[in-house]
Amino acid sequence: MWVLGINWKLHDTAAALVDGDGRIWALSEEERFTRVKHAWDSYPRNATRFCLSTAGIDWRDLDVVAIGWDLPRWGVWGENDKEQLYRSLFGPEAVGHGDAPELVFVEHHVAHAYSAFYASGFTQAGVLVTDGAGEKESISIYSAGANGLKLERRWPRGYSLGSLYEAATRLLGFGYLDAGKTMGLAPYGRAEASALLPYGDVIGDETGNLHTPFGLTPEHTYPEVTEAWRQHLSERFGTVTHEADQLESDPVAVRIAASAQLTVEDTIRSLHAETVALAGVPEVCISGGVALNCVANGRLPEPLYVPPFPHDCGVALGAAWSEAPPPPGRLLESPYLGRSIVPGREVDELREDGFRVTGFEPSATADLLVAGAIGAVAEGRSEVGPRALCHRSIMAMPHSTSVRDTINRIKGREMWRPLAPVTLPDYARRLWPDQGRRELYMVGNTVVSAHAQEVMPAAAHVDGTTRPQVLPPGQAPVAESLLSEFAARGLPPVLVNTSFNGRGEPIVDTAGDAVRAFRALGLDFLVLGEHLVHRPT
């Protein structure tokens, strides 16, 4: 059996392929192919072709195509849409063909929930989904186990934490899906500058009645909810006057960001407690776009699981797993599910242009890093999700805040934005408390130790926190070998790890993408598969 899951409509278009045992063969976002970030309003045609080619099959071998939205329930599915979808994904020969796969629709929050639970390694768990909006809801709680999912509670769009945060992000001058910038700005607001916003009561009063913010009803749309929050924030806090690069000095901006963040954190804690109570077990999985808020995730107790793809890309996998689930209790084997780095003509062209190309050797590359070089790594299959996990990463020694400033300048980021570290398991506890499975994919934030402040100031934020990755053995050979080399030299085995991409671009995917970004960003070196590329001196 073969099931193709897709996320289609709106943003983060993606495709996933699983077999009848729930094994993932491939999962990739369309943006990695088109180089248009978030792949707005596009079919995942390139991602689909990649998935099929990875397994060595074509569309005739598929049994099911599962969409991570219940489009008929949403009211956005017409009689000719299936024909257009199959034509876009598979070509005109699939239209009306007797071997065309069955098409099924999976509720958006259900797909999110499947993607988190079946990747978690838990045999049973509560699952909390919170995002901008599904078809008609913005928060859902499920219990999950051997028999699949059971819906426990659901909240309408008026409770959208995604809308609240989106409104704050827009008032700060950022674009749609730039919520990570708001999260990075929030710590610049002193505790007394932040305030809980009138979000409403998510649990209900003694009669079970809910009180939505601003009296919003289930009929209000996502844009209407977002606009209600925008008006409230603007009237309450005033107007942001500083440019993006100086927002940390704008008192209005930091109050908006800090208040939105405080409200999300407080609400997520309440929802987490409700999830535990309704599911009857302490294990909790979290998914949906709001689950990208690693600071809120970091405030929650163990045992907790957040997948590397909690955003809408993940519903492609969740939709596929709704038809062919793996057995519960199997932790996601790898987040590296995209295309492989296969250097070809790019290496010859680099040599022709005066770059020195040698074989990758950990000691020589470590020498460059110790000398202050900033480089990039592109090896193996690309990681899925918005966080670079050492297969497509920019790396540097984190010993000085000037390193953070240089990397932010190279990437065209606001100078106040934080960077993140990666280290080895046996060194991690010297840097921060155990974060459980959150450490695998950079999906949780935590305080750092005094030792960490000393050895990795470039990867510690202004409030003494960081978003860490602990690298399991064998997952990312280049990064692991470099960290091991540092440890052998008596140096702290920790590196800055940030996504390998330029401003406004998706993370690089292919060897060609990596070389173009390396040239454009002016990095000092590039590990490209088995090659080490040195910039001309």
Side-chain angles (χ1 to χ4, degrees):
M1 183 179 183
W2 293 102
V3 180
L4 178 74
I6 64 171
N7 178 50
W8 168 58
K9 293 285 187 185
L10 300 180
H11 52 80
D12 298 317
T13 300
L17 182 69
V18 304
D19 61 24
D21 295 322
R23 177 189 173 192
I24 309 169
W25 285 74
L27 169 59
S28 190
E29 298 177 71
E30 187 70 9
E31 67 167 25
R32 304 294 178 90
F33 299 85
T34 63
R35 311 305 302 158
V36 177
K37 197 168 184 178
H38 301 300
W40 285 90
D41 295 322
S42 60
Y43 293 97
R45 55 171 59 91
N46 295 290
T48 293
R49 291 166 186 166
F50 160 70
C51 288
L52 298 178
S53 66
T54 299
I57 64 173
D58 71 13
W59 63 268
R60 295 171 183 82
D61 299 302
L62 292 172
D63 297 280
V64 178
V65 173
I67 299 177
W69 288 90
D70 190 343
L71 299 177
R73 177 174 174 247
W74 193 13
V76 292
W77 184 255
E79 60 180 72
N80 296 321
D81 284 343
K82 179 179 178 180
E83 178 179 308
Q84 179 60 40
L85 175 66
Y86 279 19
R87 178 182 290 110
S88 297
L89 295 181
F90 310 129
E93 64 273 16
V95 177
H97 196 285
D99 292 332
E102 177 188 3
L103 182 67
V104 301
F105 301 97
V106 182
E107 281 192 358
H108 192 62
H109 280 196
V110 168
H112 270 308
Y114 274 123
S115 74
F117 174 63
Y118 284 117
S120 70
F122 299 146
T123 56
Q124 56 182 345
V127 186
L128 170 63
V129 177
T130 177
D131 59 6
E135 291 81 8
K136 298 181 183 297
E137 48 282 323
S138 62
I139 303 169
S140 299
I141 292 176
Y142 303 86
S143 54
N147 296 321
L149 295 179
K150 176 188 174 186
L151 177 65
E152 300 288 356
R153 278 196 75 175
R154 180 165 278 181
W155 286 257
R157 281 185 296 239
Y159 280 97
S160 173
L161 288 170
S163 286
L164 184 163
Y165 219 79
E166 175 64 22
T169 300
R170 290 298 186 93
L171 278 178
L172 296 174
F174 302 131
Y176 190 49
L177 300 182
D178 274 343
K181 296 183 180 183
T182 303
M183 183 173 61
L185 180 64
Y188 289 91
R190 297 191 305 271
E192 61 269 22
S194 62
L196 278 174
L197 301 173
Y199 178 72
D201 179 11
V202 296
I203 304 303
D205 60 23
E206 62 277 4
T207 65
N209 293 321
L210 292 171
H211 304 285
T212 60
F214 319 120
L216 293 164
T217 69
E219 286 70 40
H220 280 92
T221 65
Y222 176 83
E224 289 170 338
V225 176
T226 305
E227 176 59 21
W229 276 113
R230 191 200 64 79
Q231 290 181 11
H232 172 80
L233 293 170
S234 180
E235 292 169 2
R236 180 167 181 173
F237 296 113
T239 303
V240 174
T241 57
H242 289 50
E243 296 296 323
D245 207 38
Q246 289 84 41
L247 283 181
E248 81 282 11
S249 301
D250 187 317
V252 172
V254 296
R255 287 192 70 200
I256 290 173
S259 298
Q261 180 63 35
L262 176 66
T263 305
V264 167
E265 291 175 24
D266 186 78
T267 306
I268 290 294
R269 282 196 295 270
S270 294
L271 291 168
H272 177 275
E274 185 74 353
T275 303
V276 171
L278 291 172
V281 294
E283 293 85 0
V284 173
C285 306
I286 302 182
S287 193
V290 178
L292 287 172
N293 193 306
C294 63
V295 179
N297 296 341
R299 302 288 193 267
L300 300 176
E302 288 289 321
L304 185 77
Y305 182 79
V306 184
F309 36 70
H311 61 316
D312 277 7
C313 159
V315 305
L317 178 58
W321 271 344
S322 74
E323 294 295 308
R330 192 164 70 190
L331 182 66
L332 182 71
E333 184 176 344
S334 170
Y336 308 109
L337 300 167
R339 287 187 287 181
S340 295
I341 285 292
V342 184
R345 176 61 185 162
E346 295 89 358
V347 175
D348 294 332
E349 291 174 348
L350 286 164
R351 287 194 176 100
E352 291 167 2
D353 290 342
F355 291 85
R356 185 162 63 93
V357 182
T358 63
F360 168 71
E361 204 279 320
S363 179
T365 310
D367 287 342
L368 294 172
L369 289 162
V370 170
I374 297 173
V377 173
E379 70 157 332
R381 293 182 68 175
S382 59
E383 50 268 75
V384 65
R387 307 271 159 80
L389 301 175
C390 297
H391 277 210
R392 304 289 188 275
S393 292
I394 291 174
M395 293 183 171
M397 296 288 283
H399 57 276
S400 170
T401 55
S402 64
V403 173
R404 176 202 62 206
D405 296 341
T406 299
I407 292 176
N408 278 338
R409 183 166 53 252
I410 286 172
K411 293 188 64 176
R413 290 163 38 114
E414 293 79 14
M415 300 300 288
W416 44 263
R417 290 178 62 187
L419 297 175
V422 60
T423 192
L424 298 172
D426 58 0
Y427 190 70
R429 297 296 76 82
R430 295 194 63 189
L431 302 174
W432 50 74
D434 188 353
Q435 295 300 293
R437 293 169 182 175
R438 283 170 285 193
E439 294 178 331
L440 294 174
Y441 315 126
M442 303 176 84
V443 291
N445 206 58
T446 182
V447 296
V448 299
S449 67
H451 177 68
Q453 293 274 22
E454 178 184 351
V455 302
M456 47 169 259
H461 203 16
V462 65
D463 59 348
T465 66
T466 197
R467 184 186 67 199
Q469 182 190 6
V470 176
L471 195 61
Q475 289 282 295
V478 170
E480 184 180 4
S481 67
L482 292 172
L483 293 169
S484 297
E485 177 69 22
F486 294 148
R489 297 184 186 191
L491 298 172
V494 58
L495 281 165
V496 166
N497 172 29
T498 190
S499 58
F500 186 12
N501 60 294
R503 184 180 180 90
E505 297 176 345
I507 298 174
V508 305
D509 207 53
T510 65
D513 297 337
V515 169
R516 283 189 291 273
F518 168 62
R519 290 175 182 263
L521 297 174
L523 298 171
D524 298 311
F525 69 87
L526 169 65
V527 179
L528 186 68
E530 298 178 351
H531 304 282
L532 175 61
V533 182
H534 306 253
R535 182 165 291 281
T537 57

